[in-house]
Amino acid sequence: MAVGDVSFPKMWTVAGIKIGSSEAYVRYPNRRDLVIFELAEGSNIAGVFTQNAFAAAPVVLSKQHLAKSLSADQPRYLIINTGNANAATGTIGLENAEKTCAHLAKLTGVQSHQILPFSTGVIGEQLPIERLLSGIQPALDNLNADSWQEAATGIMTTDTAPKGASEQFELDGITYCMTGISKGAGMIRPNMATMLSFVATDAPIAKNLVEQLLKTTVEQSFNRITIDGDTSTNDSCIFIATGQAGGQAIQQSDDPRYQVVLDVLSRIMLRLAQLIVRDGEGATKFITVTVEGGVSTQECCDVAYSIAESPLIKTALFASDPNWGRIVMAIGKAGIAQLDTSKVQVWLGDVRICRDGGAALDYTEEAGAKVMAEKEITIRIDLGRGTAQDTVYTCDFSYDYVKINADYRS
Amino acid sequence: MAVGDVSFPKMWTVAGIKIGSSEAYVRYPNRRDLVIFELAEGSNIAGVFTQNAFAAAPVVLSKQHLAKSLSADQPRYLIINTGNANAATGTIGLENAEKTCAHLAKLTGVQSHQILPFSTGVIGEQLPIERLLSGIQPALDNLNADSWQEAATGIMTTDTAPKGASEQFELDGITYCMTGISKGAGMIRPNMATMLSFVATDAPIAKNLVEQLLKTTVEQSFNRITIDGDTSTNDSCIFIATGQAGGQAIQQSDDPRYQVVLDVLSRIMLRLAQLIVRDGEGATKFITVTVEGGVSTQECCDVAYSIAESPLIKTALFASDPNWGRIVMAIGKAGIAQLDTSKVQVWLGDVRICRDGGAALDYTEEAGAKVMAEKEITIRIDLGRGTAQDTVYTCDFSYDYVKINADYRS
């Protein structure tokens, strides 16, 4: 069960984006597992991908095709399957990803490099390529602008709920919208991207700014969540600006409209990233870890991840046990050079539990227990040595995490 | 339940070492929780300690006292309590550790700096110092040479079994022995040391060589195990050479007897370290991760730890699921620069599951499942880019890990 409100919102349709889906039986029968996005001609698109060395075949191919679009035709279609990651599949895996693009290109009359493929699911098995190819025409047959929820559902793996975020905004009197979906519940410690996320707007934005907007917002959203510390082979995050709602294109980042778009995208990305944490495998709590007073954001992140990925802290959070000694252990093991532990302070919610290297004098176990009983908990650290700060989002570690990951595949 | 044979062995008594223990009610009543080692005058001793910045008060004090012993009297007593780590306890914690040493020094007529204190248990609470001090005389009252098993039991926390290793060996016709104990089951990713381990020999070894022997053997034993990736605040490993069994002191590392002692100590340290993994919290399997073909031992270790600490792999091991895609994910996320994934090979036991970046052609799920059903499993990786190799030991991740760590303290 996901933590907090993860209800699927009203999704504003994005002019220039159509979505189709089908049941291709990639892994399980009778479920929507193939999704196609059609992008209007002239759309600008940017992507960030996993840093895992065993990047999946579709990641390799999508990066190649995106690179080509700098000098040739822009991408016109995204094709996404769940149930099989097409990762660690060698040359056959790459051929299968190429076949997928070629088939979709043939049916739609575009070039193969105008297709970006994405896969998610089990690693190390070959795609059932014939079934996948057979699912493409049915998906094209139901392309329409209103299918964002079907798309969000069609890319799920161990997710318990589809994940979406959508906003309307105004630039110079024109109303635009921005809408996106994400998926992911395990193998989540994105490194430059997340499992899968697709966000689109009908605002007109120059290609270089689309890239800049994506990189800026990913850094504070998908690159700040962790469920199990495991970086997926398939992480991909795509941002599309179709420009189909009209208006003059935003060409420079000092255009005042750029800041408006940045704010909207930041909110949507953060929401989509947090939805992944709220639906983390077996999650019963949503945890915000904020580290302040660092010399650099890097050391703030190092401490935050050390806390957010400690199995001992995550199980204590599951048990609602204010066992804060485990938090100082995790601060101490983060490898911060010359940390003066006597200056470190720790808060659980509003309750200061640690100062001067030991328990705060006014701390009571009752006060700590009260915060730990909440479903949403903020752990705040002040390192007492600088002005940098950063925040990471995570969830707890429950019996169900073990159950889900011991049972998955079976 | 611990994995494999963890039976407590015959413990050879070490001439020059006496051990006493008592029930001091540090945390729980009616259990042995205070242990004192008495070392014969002239014993040489070396220690390695946690790198955690929140090092416990007894760690801080033991390091100070050991440093003093270079110019003054050598340590004569170790005092160890379980139930409370005396970590993140600020100045009061340090005062309590000092009081403990002072009281023991007074009762035995030695200097306070000749006492090394150790604590293990819950972090962030103050020691019940009066009860602890009251337990010292009773422990001194039963000092004797045969109490190694009582000591191993008296330092346990979530351990399910006492851990010991002991060997006799001969140097120039004189029979010596080496005997040691360790404890630890969670918060185990030692960094220069382990939770707690004490090893003694009655062989005569110069002080500088005692240090060298400890550092050399810790590196390939305690510094190669992980249960949850969490480095304790209290890790300490002590090696004592009493010299009480006679013979000329070993002064140089090119003395042929040095190699004999090194071999014995290596075996004892590796056994004590592996016993901790076999008794890892909730462990049902003992896992050896060997990485070969690396450019450096560092990158072999990086890959080995990435596998050994992945929650997804550990839960798959618990489920006996040969979900080897998770293994390549963990290799890929280890951050090895310019890894050519097409040269990576992976074996599960004797079964090659991955080569050329994908599934090995002769791999069958049945063969993988057979290996995964074993209680002791070796995962072997060949990175295909060099001659370095290294090995890390770990265990799986079960429901009981969550249960133990959600319930601990309560």
Side-chain angles (χ1 to χ4, degrees), chain B residues 102-147:
Chain B
H103 190 67
L104 177 53
K106 191 175 148 206
L107 293 178
T108 55
V110 302
Q111 300 293 310
S112 213
H113 67 257
Q114 292 182 280
I115 317 281
L116 304 185
F118 303 88
S119 297
T120 181
V122 175
I123 299 171
E125 298 181 9
Q126 297 297 347
L127 280 174
I129 185 68
E130 293 308 324
R131 292 208 298 270
L132 194 148
L133 296 182
S134 305
I136 294 180
Q137 186 62 57
L140 289 174
D141 290 344
N142 62 32
L143 280 173
N144 73 82
D146 292 319
S147 293

Side-chain angles (χ1 to χ4, degrees), chain B residues 44 176 203-207 209 243 246-252 255 257:
Chain B
N44 287 320
Y176 299 96
I205 310 170
K207 185 167 168 54
L209 294 187
Q248 287 293 316
I250 305 174
Q251 301 281 2
Q252 304 289 341
D255 183 327
R257 296 178 300 164

Side-chain angles (χ1 to χ4, degrees), chain B residues 57-58 60-61 64 86 89-99:
Chain B
V60 172
L61 208 56
Q64 284 175 8
N86 194 6
T89 46
T91 50
I92 298 172
L94 203 56
E95 284 163 20
N96 282 338
E98 282 165 351
K99 277 184 197 166

Side-chain angles (χ1 to χ4, degrees), chain B residues 38-66:
Chain B
E38 184 181 77
L39 321 182
E41 211 162 341
S43 296
N44 287 320
I45 180 167
V48 286
F49 300 90
T50 183
Q51 301 285 304
N52 191 302
F54 271 95
V59 167
V60 172
L61 208 56
S62 279
K63 287 168 86 168
Q64 284 175 8
H65 290 184
L66 265 179

Side-chain angles (χ1 to χ4, degrees), chain A residues 3 59 136 160 163 166 180 182 187 192 196 252-253 319 386:
Chain A
V3 182
V59 168
I136 293 180
T160 69
K163 299 169 179 64
S166 185
S182 63
M187 206 176 279
M192 298 312 291
L196 291 181
Q252 305 289 340
S253 59

Side-chain angles (χ1 to χ4, degrees), chain B residues 287-311:
Chain B
I287 314 297
T288 302
V289 184
T290 295
V291 179
E292 309 167 345
V295 169
S296 64
T297 57
Q298 185 59 54
E299 74 175 30
C300 293
C301 283
D302 288 347
V303 170
Y305 276 112
S306 180
I307 292 168
E309 293 179 349
S310 159

Side-chain angles (χ1 to χ4, degrees), chain A residues 28 400-410, chain B residues 315-316 318-319 321 323 326 399:
Chain A
Y28 299 106
D400 278 353
Y401 178 87
V402 179
K403 183 171 166 54
I404 289 163
N405 282 298
D407 287 353
Y408 187 50
R409 276 209 349 163
S410 59
Chain B
T315 47
F318 169 57
D321 178 5
N323 193 337
R326 293 178 181 177
Y399 293 114

